[in-house]
Amino acid sequence: MELTSKQRAQLRGLANALDTIVHIGKDGIGDNLVQQANEALEARELIKCRVLENSPLSPREACDGLARLTRSEPVQVIGTKFVLYRESHKKDKKDKIVLVRERKTAR
């Protein structure tokens, strides 16, 4: 799913209140980190990640790499933090994020 600019803005606003739950350190992005991110995305849909000083990856590299491995959408990168979004497929998820949709206008 490709996010529109309005959807990214909506998600950025929601991300302001999030705590950082995924930290990328000297080991970079390994299987355990990908599993942790996948579990967090399934539970929350929107997660904030942080690249630590000892990481071999830049925040942009970490964001793009983790987004690819988790099949999520990068929302933004600011400083050492970045935000990822992936719609949850849990049917019983009560706090799903409802994204704004672009309206098509007839001409």
Side-chain angles (χ1 to χ4, degrees), residues 10-60:
Q10 177 188 1
L11 292 171
R12 282 193 304 269
L14 294 172
N16 286 334
L18 294 179
D19 291 328
T20 304
I21 58 173
V22 175
H23 295 83
I24 301 169
K26 65 179 174 63
D27 296 331
I29 301 173
D31 292 339
N32 289 338
L33 189 117
V34 172
Q35 181 180 353
Q36 177 188 8
N38 273 321
E39 289 170 0
L41 283 162
E42 194 60 30
R44 295 177 179 90
E45 297 185 316
L46 189 66
I47 63 171
K48 188 181 288 185
C49 307
R50 180 173 177 234
V51 178
L52 303 176
E53 288 179 18
N54 62 351
S55 175
L57 302 171
S58 72
R60 173 53 64 191

Side-chain angles (χ1 to χ4, degrees), residues 4-5 12 15 34 39 51 56 59-60 69 74 79 82 85 87 92-93 95:
T4 66
S5 60
R12 282 193 304 269
V34 172
E39 289 170 0
V51 178
R60 173 53 64 191
L69 292 169
F82 61 91
Y85 169 78
E87 183 178 358
D92 61 346
K93 184 155 176 45
D95 54 347

